[in-house]
Amino acid sequence: MDAFGSYLRERREARRASDRSYSLRQLATRVGIEPSYLSRIERGAESPPSEATIRRLAAELEEDEDVLLALAGKVSSDLQDAIRRRPALFAQLIRQLAELPDHAVLRLVREVRDGDW
Amino acid sequence: MDAFGSYLRERREARRASDRSYSLRQLATRVGIEPSYLSRIERGAESPPSEATIRRLAAELEEDEDVLLALAGKVSSDLQDAIRRRPALFAQLIRQLAELPDHAVLRLVREVRDGDW
DNA sequence: CCATGTGTGTAGTGTTGACTGCACACTCTA
DNA sequence: TAGAGTGTGCAGTCAACACTACACACATGG
């Protein structure tokens, strides 16, 4: 049940296979946290770190920030800001989309992207 | 700059004009918090309460939960859940919509509502 | 006039979030 | 075989969140 930690470890070790600088210690140092802290996070002995730290981890591992944040049970603060600016509208839309299958949402994304909105 | 508190007070007093049971004390009691706490919140001397408490306040005042949460700088947890289930997809969509005007988003909401999705 | 209700000031509480810092045991490798 | 690097255990910090508890002063209406 610790999606975040195990995913992180898995990703780091994958990278480490081709780049020795991806040891837990070195990554932690680059990201600016204590190695023991990262160790506990990877093993799920500690809850995921802050949004800022997750962002730095994502950058270092070249992972999608939103996905990593999601695994940590969080939602990017800029998305939250966008929703907060028009709460009624976005709330309605998101609740509707929550019940639609992926492909429908994807279709919508595309339509908005290259539509005449 | 204390949108939440002043809005709350304003709404409560509006209701109180026609219903004497909307005193700070009585509302606080119905909602299950200490009057002094609600007092500090309404005056902005304290940051907004938890999502659960905001929900109860919204119910009692017949206000839109999402709007009240937004004023408190929060986003409903069920919306966050929806986003977390498909982070890449939703992140992309919301960032796109953040730059569109209200009417465009509204049009989208309608289209999804009564479209053949 | 006093009992009841009103809002508010001050102080204190338990819990969680987000970490640091150091010591330890193990493993390579030069 | 000493030294550097590896992951980890344990203890502790510091601020914020989300509140409670109680005392106070005012007012008001029966």
Side-chain angles (χ1 to χ4, degrees):
Chain A
M1 255 296 190
D2 164 40
F4 183 79
S6 29
Y7 182 72
L8 210 61
R9 169 145 298 188
E10 194 257 324
R11 290 286 74 210
R12 182 178 60 77
E13 288 183 339
R15 267 188 156 246
R16 172 133 219 246
S18 57
D19 182 341
R20 296 307 290 168
S21 86
Y22 280 84
S23 77
L24 187 152
R25 269 178 130 88
Q26 295 190 50
L27 177 60
T29 305
R30 285 204 297 278
V31 158
I33 57 176
E34 283 292 307
S36 64
Y37 183 40
L38 179 56
S39 168
R40 292 197 308 281
I41 288 169
E42 284 194 355
R43 284 172 295 126
E46 180 118 9
S47 46
S50 68
E51 178 171 344
T53 298
I54 293 176
R55 286 221 141 81
R56 286 192 305 267
L57 283 167
E60 207 65 48
L61 295 169
E62 301 184 69
E63 290 287 317
D64 185 313
E65 300 196 347
D66 295 303
V67 171
L68 223 49
L69 284 167
L71 285 171
K74 315 200 185 215
V75 170
S76 179
S77 55
D78 69 307
L79 296 182
Q80 306 215 39
D81 290 348
I83 295 170
R84 279 200 345 258
R85 269 176 227 119
R86 292 181 279 186
L89 223 44
F90 271 107
Q92 203 184 345
L93 180 62
I94 294 170
R95 290 204 180 94
Q96 276 173 22
L97 297 182
E99 297 176 6
L100 267 46
D102 278 23
H103 71 84
V105 182
L106 187 57
R107 197 171 108 203
L108 207 64
V109 172
R110 289 219 198 84
E111 234 169 85
V112 174
R113 170 160 41 74
D114 37 57
D116 56 336
W117 305 80
Chain B
M1 260 301 176
D2 163 40
F4 184 79
S6 30
Y7 182 74
L8 209 60
R9 169 145 298 188
E10 194 257 325
R11 291 286 74 210
R12 183 178 60 78
E13 289 184 338
R15 283 211 135 226
R16 175 156 173 125
S18 58
D19 184 342
R20 296 307 290 168
S21 86
Y22 280 83
S23 77
L24 187 152
R25 271 179 128 92
Q26 295 190 51
L27 177 60
T29 305
R30 285 205 297 279
V31 158
I33 57 175
E34 284 291 308
S36 64
Y37 183 41
L38 179 55
S39 168
R40 293 196 308 280
I41 288 169
E42 284 194 354
R43 284 172 295 127
E46 180 118 9
S47 47
S50 67
E51 178 171 344
T53 298
I54 293 176
R55 286 220 140 82
R56 274 178 269 128
L57 282 166
E60 207 64 48
L61 295 169
E62 301 185 68
E63 290 288 316
D64 185 312
E65 300 197 346
D66 294 304
V67 171
L68 223 49
L69 284 168
L71 285 171
K74 317 202 183 213
V75 170
S76 180
S77 54
D78 68 308
L79 296 182
Q80 306 214 39
D81 290 348
I83 296 170
R84 278 200 344 257
R85 269 176 227 119
R86 291 181 278 185
L89 222 44
F90 272 106
Q92 203 184 345
L93 181 61
I94 293 171
R95 290 203 179 95
Q96 277 173 20
L97 296 182
E99 297 176 6
L100 267 46
D102 278 23
H103 71 82
V105 182
L106 187 57
R107 196 172 108 204
L108 206 65
V109 171
R110 289 219 196 84
E111 234 171 84
V112 174
R113 171 160 41 77
D114 38 56
D116 55 336
W117 305 81

